[in-house]
Amino acid sequence: MKTATASAPSNIAFIKYWGAIDLDQVRPANASISMTLSECRSLTTVTFEPEVTSADEIALRDESGRPTTLSDAFRRGIERHLARIRERHQLVGRFSVITQNNFPAQAGLASSASGFAALAVAASSAANLEVDDIELSHLARISGSGSASRSVLGGFVEWPAGEDDASGYAKVLAPAEHWPLSDVIAIVETAGKEVSSRDGHRRAPSSPHFATRQALLPDRLDRVRAAIQERNLDDLGSVLELEAIELHLIAMSSQPAIFYWKPATLEVLAAVRRLRREGLSAWATMDAGANVHVICPSAQEAKVAEALAQVPGVLQVLRDRVGNGPQWHTDALP
Ligand code: PMV
């Protein structure tokens, strides 16, 4: 029996994963590029008992460490992920999992990328699997949350649209030290999203704009890779804003349509344009939700956070920045 504890951060996509060629195997329709964060993390302790065949145990703690209720969907997601890890490595044994996010559950931030990345890292160590970064990326991907495959690495990360394991794993484009960027998150909604990203991926090809975006993506991916290499935030920012708008354009025009934005989302987008007119380099992106992530140089993080806190409808502002990926912890979650 072995216990391992690891944490993994969330990430924010500059080029979004939205639509899959194989949703069950989590093969994305397009490559995506993200920045791994530093502060918003999931911490997970996993114990593996070889040969024990009774059901896995799963427990959730709130951000202050107190036991909290596990939703059925959350439990099923973790059970499915553990079953897939067992199947992929032909393991026989029982996992016990305790997991906790350090960001408030009521902040409305998706925790699947950090949660499943932390689970992949801690579970593979508890089960004594010899895994490299490539296999860790696959282990995180088969959770069902494709973005988790990018959170096992630090810095600026690309997850290609590979059709098989030989190519479809995440790679570092540049380490965190390459470019000190921040992600200032304006929370405008605290409830979980009404339509899961899984349903969003499923519906995406029904939008008349899906194919157009796919055709534009090779050029956009090149621009983002070059902007990262050259540390050119004007180039990166213009593409990342376009990408966020198009993800939502596709969501809103899918069948059935999905509306993630709230009125305050538009208020924040207007505030970000205002900040640019005032000379700051602030650029907005959104995942499948109403909250707005504002990417800026870390030197401007405090000013951007102060300005976003004044925007009507903003409930809370979180400050995060590029980070180094998963970490080991010596203390197990009690
Ligand atoms: O990893 P999933 O299946 O939850 O999908 C992620 C979808 C977005 O967050 C909207 C985009 C992305 O690439 O992170």
Side-chain angles (χ1 to χ4, degrees), residues 51-84:
E51 310 305 330
V52 177
T53 51
S54 50
D56 296 327
E57 271 182 23
I58 300 160
L60 180 64
R61 305 276 186 261
D62 67 15
E63 75 270 19
S64 354
R66 283 184 295 262
T68 186
T69 337
L70 204 66
S71 72
D72 283 348
F74 188 90
R75 175 184 299 282
R76 275 198 305 274
I78 294 189
E79 282 171 353
R80 199 187 52 203
H81 192 195
L82 294 173
R84 285 189 158 188

Side-chain angles (χ1 to χ4, degrees), residues 13 15-18 32 112 144-148 150 197 201 247 287-288:
I15 298 278
K16 309 288 184 183
Y17 156 42
W18 199 244
S32 54
S112 56
S145 169
S147 57
R150 301 185 308 241
S197 45
H201 294 304
L247 181 158
D287 279 341

Side-chain angles (χ1 to χ4, degrees), residues 14-333:
F14 298 157
I15 298 278
K16 309 288 184 183
Y17 156 42
W18 199 244
I21 47 173
D22 182 340
L23 201 50
D24 182 59
Q25 291 305 308
V26 202
R27 304 288 181 200
N30 60 273
S32 54
I33 297 179
S34 59
M35 175 171 96
T36 297
L37 298 178
S38 160
E39 302 299 313
C40 292
R41 310 182 76 87
S42 301
L43 176 64
T44 302
T45 293
V46 178
T47 301
F48 184 69
E49 295 167 89
E51 310 305 330
V52 177
T53 51
S54 50
D56 296 327
E57 271 182 23
I58 300 160
L60 180 64
R61 305 276 186 261
D62 67 15
E63 75 270 19
S64 354
R66 283 184 295 262
T68 186
T69 337
L70 204 66
S71 72
D72 283 348
F74 188 90
R75 175 184 299 282
R76 275 198 305 274
I78 294 189
E79 282 171 353
R80 199 187 52 203
H81 192 195
L82 294 173
R84 285 189 158 188
I85 292 174
R86 237 189 315 257
E87 186 186 30
R88 188 171 167 98
H89 284 273
Q90 289 156 11
L91 294 169
V92 178
R94 176 170 84 139
F95 286 106
S96 303
V97 175
I98 308 173
T99 187
Q100 172 182 2
N101 294 330
N102 70 353
F103 45 95
Q106 63 274 26
L109 291 180
S111 55
S112 56
S114 56
F116 286 120
L119 186 60
V121 173
S124 54
S125 168
N128 274 328
L129 301 179
E130 287 195 8
V131 292
D132 55 10
D133 284 349
I134 296 175
E135 180 57 14
L136 270 183
S137 176
H138 289 308
L139 287 177
R141 175 183 60 82
I142 58 174
S143 65
S145 169
S147 57
S149 72
R150 301 185 308 241
S151 268
V152 300
L153 299 170
F156 300 87
V157 177
E158 174 163 354
W159 176 36
E163 297 209 354
D164 53 33
D165 282 9
S167 55
Y169 55 88
K171 301 167 188 103
V172 175
L173 292 174
E177 311 76 69
H178 171 72
W179 197 7
L181 289 185
S182 286
D183 177 9
V184 182
I185 311 164
I187 308 292
V188 301
E189 181 185 50
T190 56
K193 48 185 175 246
E194 278 164 33
V195 181
S196 66
S197 45
R198 190 175 171 82
D199 279 337
H201 294 304
R202 188 178 293 121
R203 292 181 206 177
S206 67
S207 162
H209 305 291
F210 181 77
T212 309
R213 173 172 177 263
Q214 291 296 316
L216 293 167
L217 274 171
D219 175 57
R220 267 184 212 171
L221 284 156
D222 279 346
R223 280 166 63 194
V224 167
R225 290 185 199 108
I228 290 172
Q229 290 315 323
E230 295 157 11
R231 301 185 192 88
N232 184 332
L233 190 48
D234 285 350
D235 272 9
L236 175 65
S238 56
V239 184
L240 73 83
E241 282 203 349
L242 191 63
E243 263 295 294
I245 303 297
E246 283 193 14
L247 181 158
H248 287 270
L249 172 76
I250 289 170
M252 290 179 202
S253 53
S254 294
Q255 299 299 323
I258 313 168
F259 288 85
Y260 288 116
W261 292 5
K262 295 283 176 264
T265 307
L266 289 166
E267 295 277 1
V268 179
L269 293 179
V272 170
R273 287 196 296 273
R274 221 161 35 235
L275 288 176
R276 283 210 293 277
R277 284 197 296 275
E278 290 165 7
L280 292 176
S281 188
W283 302 88
T285 181
M286 288 89 63
D287 279 341
N291 298 323
V292 184
H293 294 247
V294 182
I295 307 301
C296 64
S298 291
Q300 297 179 5
E301 182 191 306
K303 273 192 186 157
V304 170
E306 204 180 308
L308 294 182
Q310 310 301 318
V311 177
V314 171
L315 308 169
Q316 193 186 354
V317 173
L318 298 181
R319 290 166 61 167
D320 211 333
R321 58 205 66 82
V322 62
N324 287 315
Q327 275 171 9
W328 295 108
H329 296 258
T330 41
D331 291 339
L333 281 170

